[in-house]
């Protein structure tokens, strides 16, 4: 619950700050304390804390005076992914796919998306489908779009339909 509060607080602090006046100062102090605790946990190897640190650095935090820093986000997501945190594996796949905070590397992106997909995360399948379709491996793209679409992701359903319209032989089985 504290972690949820921490994440929600980071996202809403700047929008609330003008409304609450001096009360926000106390909240900012509490937020800073929570950030410090989270950072210690991340440095000690807690994968959820590492993932949260990645998110803080990816988006930045005005109340904490942290500017967005994709290199730092990549660092923390890497730590969390290596520690088996599935959401971080997807994030790391995205960072490698688009070259955020690191050089673009579709082979590494594929590796991290595959780990997430094997763990049952449909977003890993979605990332794989994008890469396979871009590389012209339409059978693998179809398989992964289908898994992501079956999870209820509307974009994946549209992409699956588009693939089947362009390459109908791939979708017949």
């Amino acid at each position: 619950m504290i972690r949820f509060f921490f994440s929600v607080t980071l996202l809403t602090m700047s929008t609330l700050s003008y409304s609450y006046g001096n009360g926000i100062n106390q909240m900012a102090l509490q937020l800073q304390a929570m950030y410090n605790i989270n950072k210690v946990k991340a440095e000690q190897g807690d994968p959820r804390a590492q993932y949260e640190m990645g998110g803080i650095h990816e988006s930045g935090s005005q109340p904490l005076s942290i500017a967005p820093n994709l290199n730092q986000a990549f660092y923390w997501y890497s730590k969390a992914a290596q520690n088996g945190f599935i959401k971080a594996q997807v994030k790391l796949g995205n960072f490698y796919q688009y070259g955020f905070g690191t050089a673009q590397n579709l082979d590494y992106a594929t590796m991290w998306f595959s780990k997430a997909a094997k763990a049952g995360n449909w977003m890993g399948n979605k990332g794989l489908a994008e890469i396979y379709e871009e590389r012209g491996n339409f059978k693998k793209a179809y398989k992964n779009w289908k898994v992501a679409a079956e999870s209820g992701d509307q974009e994946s359903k549209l992409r699956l339909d588009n693939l089947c319209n362009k390459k109908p032989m791939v979708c017949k089985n």
Side-chain angles (χ1 to χ4, degrees):
M1 185 65 179
I2 290 174
R3 286 197 175 125
F4 174 75
F5 173 76
F6 178 63
S7 298
V8 170
T9 303
L10 280 176
L11 295 173
T12 60
M13 281 290 289
S14 58
T15 58
L16 295 175
S17 63
Y18 73 90
S19 300
Y20 290 101
N22 290 336
I24 202 71
N25 292 333
Q26 182 63 31
M27 198 174 202
L29 290 173
Q30 291 173 343
L31 181 61
Q32 184 66 51
M34 292 169 73
Y35 172 83
N36 292 341
I37 291 168
N38 196 63
K39 186 174 182 187
V40 168
K41 287 181 176 182
E43 290 168 344
Q44 292 173 342
D46 180 325
R48 179 178 294 277
Q50 292 167 335
Y51 177 77
E52 289 174 358
M53 292 297 290
I56 291 166
H57 288 283
E58 181 179 2
S59 302
S61 172
Q62 186 177 5
L64 293 172
S65 299
I66 296 174
N69 183 329
L70 295 180
N71 294 328
Q72 278 295 303
F74 175 80
Y75 171 81
W76 286 114
Y77 287 143
S78 294
K79 293 283 190 187
Q82 290 165 6
N83 284 322
F85 200 76
I86 297 166
K87 289 180 180 180
Q89 292 170 347
V90 172
K91 279 288 193 177
L92 200 55
N94 286 323
F95 272 50
Y96 276 118
Q97 182 178 9
Y98 298 108
F100 297 152
T102 189
Q104 184 180 32
N105 187 320
L106 294 181
D107 291 330
Y108 282 153
T110 300
M111 178 188 76
W112 286 109
F113 286 140
S114 292
K115 286 179 183 278
K118 285 178 184 169
N121 185 295
W122 65 268
M123 292 177 69
N125 293 99
K126 185 176 181 176
L128 286 170
E130 289 174 352
I131 292 171
Y132 289 137
E133 188 169 348
E134 182 179 317
R135 288 182 165 178
N137 190 333
F138 300 113
K139 282 190 182 262
K140 285 187 176 182
Y142 169 78
K143 175 186 162 222
N144 284 283
W145 281 130
K146 189 170 186 209
V147 171
E150 288 171 351
S151 77
D153 182 57
Q154 294 302 311
E155 181 186 358
S156 295
K157 288 178 183 178
L158 289 172
R159 297 283 300 264
L160 179 63
D161 288 345
N162 287 339
L163 177 62
C164 290
N165 286 333
K166 289 190 300 189
K167 305 283 184 186
M169 293 306 293
V170 170
C171 302
K172 292 190 184 217
N173 281 338

